[in-house]
Amino acid sequence: MAVPVDEATVVARARDAAARDAWAEAYVLLTEADRHPSGALSPGDLDLLADAAWWTGHVDESVTARLRAHAAYGAAGDHRGAGAVAWWLHFEYRSLGRPAAAAGWLHRSRHHLEHVPDCPEQCFLAWTDVDEAMEHGDPAAALAAARRMTRIAVASGDPGLAALSSQTEAAVLLAEGRRAEGMARLDDAMVAVLAGELSGMYTGILFCLALSQCMEAADLARAVEWTDAAMTWCEAPWSQHVRPPEEPSTADVEHAPGSFTDNPFRGLCRIHHVEVLDLLGAWTLAEDEAGRVCAEVMVDSLDVAAEAYYAAGEIRRRQGRLDAAARAYSHAHELGRVPQPGLALLRLAQGKADAAVTGLRLALACDPRHGLLGRARLLAAQTEVTLAVGDVDGAEAAVAELEGLAGTGGVPLLTAMAETARGALALARHEAALIPLRRALAGWLELRVPYEAAQVRMLLAAADRAAGDEEAARLEFVAARAAFERLGALPDARRAAALLTERRRHALPGGLTAREAEVLRLVAEGGTNREIAQALVISEHTVARHLNNIFAKLDVTTRTAASTYAFAHDLLPAPK
């Protein structure tokens, strides 16, 4: 059927808008053309309408338009067009959590393309073959499929497919532990992205995949560089579409995902920005960004919202906002994210050591989805928890595995984690801990990761004090306290302040332990049992038990008398 002139003009404008990545404009124009009583959109324009609907957050309309495009391509005998659309239907149904429909459309795509000579559309089937081979633990088949994808992409002359095939090959090489080769292929793919040579779709896909791989591989330097580039791209003014007034604010993470965004990759990229900001110590901004993630991701990306809730929980836990952290971890769990190791460390802070031990043991044994960095973080937390409960053998096993991960690729982030764990274990065993801890501190400082650097300073201070170097211990405590205060990690800052003037345990008056001295100092400063529990990140029951021991050792019966003893024996923190 001939398309009327006015409708043809609308469609031409829509195609031009899509070519400029003005997807909201393309969506409005194509929807208008599709409703025109005297014409019908071509299969290609229906496919374009599906893309425009997806970009503007109309996921159901995207699927509907793509179903119509597939039928139109089939009616025209265009197997390449039908095969490509069938693959994208497979992709969309899988994202929507409908695996049966996704499998059916993948089979349909293979049927359309199986007798067609090598063509660009077959790159997507090869991409799927890579994923399936990796899921079945067959890296050789995955690499063969990735290289078949590369061969077809290069022959097609499509720069987007060429970059995507390079990234896919990089993923396989990284999974095999061939880090140098994998990162080289990933760099190849990202050159085209950063140069602005690709369409919006390929740019968004490659940013998301590359950022995920950098974090999983613990490559913080690339993650920082590419996350900044991704956010610059995402924040570009894609359209003039106005956000509906009834949509929720992004000021807090405590709301449901699925709000409108004119760039659906924005939330997907922003979650990696949150992770980088968290590591670099920009916690306030990271928590704000986590809230924006939940407002920006669509309903087919709830796993990303889960990561945002988890990241918010991590920040709140370290700031001592334990109830708020627990709520965030709970939201992450509801959306399918196992909230470890953060939840275990929260339980340890709440005095629930058994729950912490069990949670980490199950996460390490049962959760297969963590990458290299995820596994390392679980092991680092296991080291901390097992040492807290006196399980030195368990800590040794965790440290040994963590060192094995760090030794496979010479990754600075993993090396710093392993050196920190080794130093903490040596300190617990009353062995030489200064060398690994100093190496760990140097690593964290070079990476510009302030919270972990401050935690290492606390361990170094304890090691210095054990070695009899009180001056070095004081310097480390002062530096750690300053870093914690800048970050807003108030429980750690209070702990550093309390330990700053602590003498070696045998020098404490009245037979007090170091922990009892901490409690007594806070009592003398007027703290209630609840405030002391929050400051030291322990339970109120534990505070009460410490107070009973303090009263017995000092032969006093009131908080006032205990405070007087603290003043008389110079147990209060030194002024800042």
Side-chain angles (χ1 to χ4, degrees), residues 3-19 25-26 28-36 39-42 44-46 48:
V3 179
V5 174
D6 57 336
E7 185 185 357
T9 302
V10 171
V11 171
R13 288 170 55 202
R15 292 170 183 166
D16 176 69
E25 180 184 346
V28 171
L29 291 169
L30 286 168
T31 301
E32 176 186 343
D34 193 38
R35 291 171 179 166
H36 199 284
L41 294 181
S42 70
D45 290 326
L46 284 169
L48 200 61

Side-chain angles (χ1 to χ4, degrees), residues 50 54 59 62-63 66 87-97 300:
W54 183 85
V59 178
S62 173
V63 172
R66 223 176 289 281
W87 188 91
W88 281 106
L89 282 165
H90 145 75
F91 181 87
E92 289 193 85
Y93 277 122
R94 186 179 63 178
S95 299
L96 290 168
D300 60 350

Side-chain angles (χ1 to χ4, degrees), residues 488-531:
L490 298 184
D492 290 301
R494 294 188 187 106
R495 182 166 61 94
L499 291 170
L500 185 56
T501 57
E502 178 185 298
R503 303 298 182 261
R504 298 182 69 176
R505 286 192 176 191
H506 68 267
L508 289 171
L512 295 173
T513 67
R515 179 60 92 181
E516 289 165 353
E518 288 182 82
V519 173
L520 179 55
R521 290 186 187 106
L522 293 172
V523 168
E525 291 176 348
T528 64
N529 282 17
R530 182 177 182 81
E531 291 169 340

Side-chain angles (χ1 to χ4, degrees), residues 52 111 280 413 485:
H111 175 72
L280 298 182
L413 184 58
E485 288 174 344

Side-chain angles (χ1 to χ4, degrees), residues 186-187 190 194 207 210-211 214 222-230:
L186 191 55
D187 288 343
M190 294 306 293
L194 299 177
F207 263 134
L211 294 175
C214 284
R222 280 183 173 86
V224 170
E225 181 178 349
W226 292 346
T227 298
D228 288 344

